[in-house]
Amino acid sequence: MSLIKLTIKGISYSQTQTGAYALVLSEEDGGRTLPIIIGAFEAQSIAIALEKEIRPPRPLTHDLFKTFSDRFSIAIKEVIIHKLVDGVFFSSLVCEKEGVEEIIDTRTSDAIAIAVRFEAPIFTYENILEKAGVFLKTEDTLGLNDPSETNEMSLDTKNLLGVDKDSSYSKLSISDLNEELDKAVSDENYELAAKIRDEMSKRS
């Protein structure tokens, strides 16, 4: 059975499960989306990996996995979402070391968080997309108001990190904002860091 490549379209707060998030994967050569419910920690880990400007002062669990793999020359070739049972997705990490390939069972949320860090492709099978894939307008899926914003991944992760549109940092200089950003990241206050980064982005 042929594999279908997926891309990360966004993350939004789950309307069905309290404290959970919906990771939305999109068919690369089609119009179907695959929403997957994930936990808050994994959602934040994926969002931080996508936001290149935010660097945690200490490594998150998935960052540690990346460092460990790099140190021992283990490459992550791809992630495959291979099974769906009772609403639960099952995934595999396809790894390679010295030409030897290994397949490791993993939670889908962890697999995606790792794939982002390795820039590894994400795949699934047609039968899974047929069963769980949906045709939705991206703005409806992500809860965005402006359809023109749907291609901006940073906007999706802003929603996750709690960024509002009215920044209290509008009166600070770029230099001051850089200092505040460094302090927020050092304090591991990623919500605040995202808000400051948003203000800086508006001025560039």
Side-chain angles (χ1 to χ4, degrees), residues 108-122:
T108 298
S109 55
D110 289 327
I112 302 301
I114 291 169
V116 173
R117 287 163 169 80
F118 280 88
E119 298 183 355
I122 304 164

Side-chain angles (χ1 to χ4, degrees), residues 95-145:
C95 311
E96 185 179 69
K97 179 177 172 63
E98 297 177 351
V100 179
E101 188 174 284
E102 297 285 349
I103 299 177
I104 300 174
D105 182 49
T106 177
R107 296 190 307 168
T108 298
S109 55
D110 289 327
I112 302 301
I114 291 169
V116 173
R117 287 163 169 80
F118 280 88
E119 298 183 355
I122 304 164
F123 297 97
T124 193
Y125 292 106
E126 174 64 31
N127 65 320
I128 293 179
L129 270 177
E130 284 183 356
K131 188 175 181 179
V134 290
F135 287 95
L136 290 177
K137 293 181 180 179
T138 309
E139 59 267 29
D140 292 338
T141 304
L142 302 177
L144 299 174
N145 295 322

Side-chain angles (χ1 to χ4, degrees), residues 31-192:
R32 290 172 293 185
T33 58
L34 192 65
I36 300 174
I37 301 300
I38 63 175
F41 171 78
E42 292 79 9
Q44 187 180 62
S45 178
I46 293 169
I48 289 173
L50 292 169
E51 291 286 354
K52 304 300 183 184
E53 298 176 17
I54 297 179
R55 285 287 179 269
R58 295 179 295 174
L60 302 178
T61 304
H62 301 110
D63 297 322
L64 177 60
F65 183 93
K66 174 70 163 61
T67 302
F68 178 90
S69 299
D70 288 344
R71 187 67 57 88
F72 291 95
S73 302
I74 300 171
I76 304 300
K77 296 181 62 179
E78 60 190 17
V79 165
I80 301 176
I81 303 171
H82 61 84
K83 188 167 63 173
L84 175 62
V85 179
D86 296 330
V88 178
F89 292 90
F90 292 77
S91 296
S92 298
L93 284 176
V94 181
C95 311
E96 185 179 69
K97 179 177 172 63
E98 297 177 351
V100 179
E101 188 174 284
E102 297 285 349
I103 299 177
I104 300 174
D105 182 49
T106 177
R107 296 190 307 168
T108 298
S109 55
D110 289 327
I112 302 301
I114 291 169
V116 173
R117 287 163 169 80
F118 280 88
E119 298 183 355
I122 304 164
F123 297 97
T124 193
Y125 292 106
E126 174 64 31
N127 65 320
I128 293 179
L129 270 177
E130 284 183 356
K131 188 175 181 179
V134 290
F135 287 95
L136 290 177
K137 293 181 180 179
T138 309
E139 59 267 29
D140 292 338
T141 304
L142 302 177
L144 299 174
N145 295 322
D146 185 354
S148 66
E149 295 179 347
T150 57
N151 291 326
E152 295 291 338
M153 178 53 64
S154 60
L155 294 173
D156 302 338
T157 54
K158 287 173 195 172
N159 291 335
L160 169 63
L161 298 174
V163 180
D164 56 32
K165 293 183 178 180
D166 298 320
S167 174
S168 59
Y169 294 92
S170 58
K171 296 182 181 180
L172 295 180
S173 67
I174 291 294
S175 176
D176 290 336
L177 287 172
N178 274 311
E179 291 181 7
E180 292 293 330
L181 178 61
D182 290 341
K183 183 177 185 303
V185 172
S186 178
D187 294 339
E188 299 185 32
N189 189 341
Y190 304 124
E191 292 85 355
L192 180 58

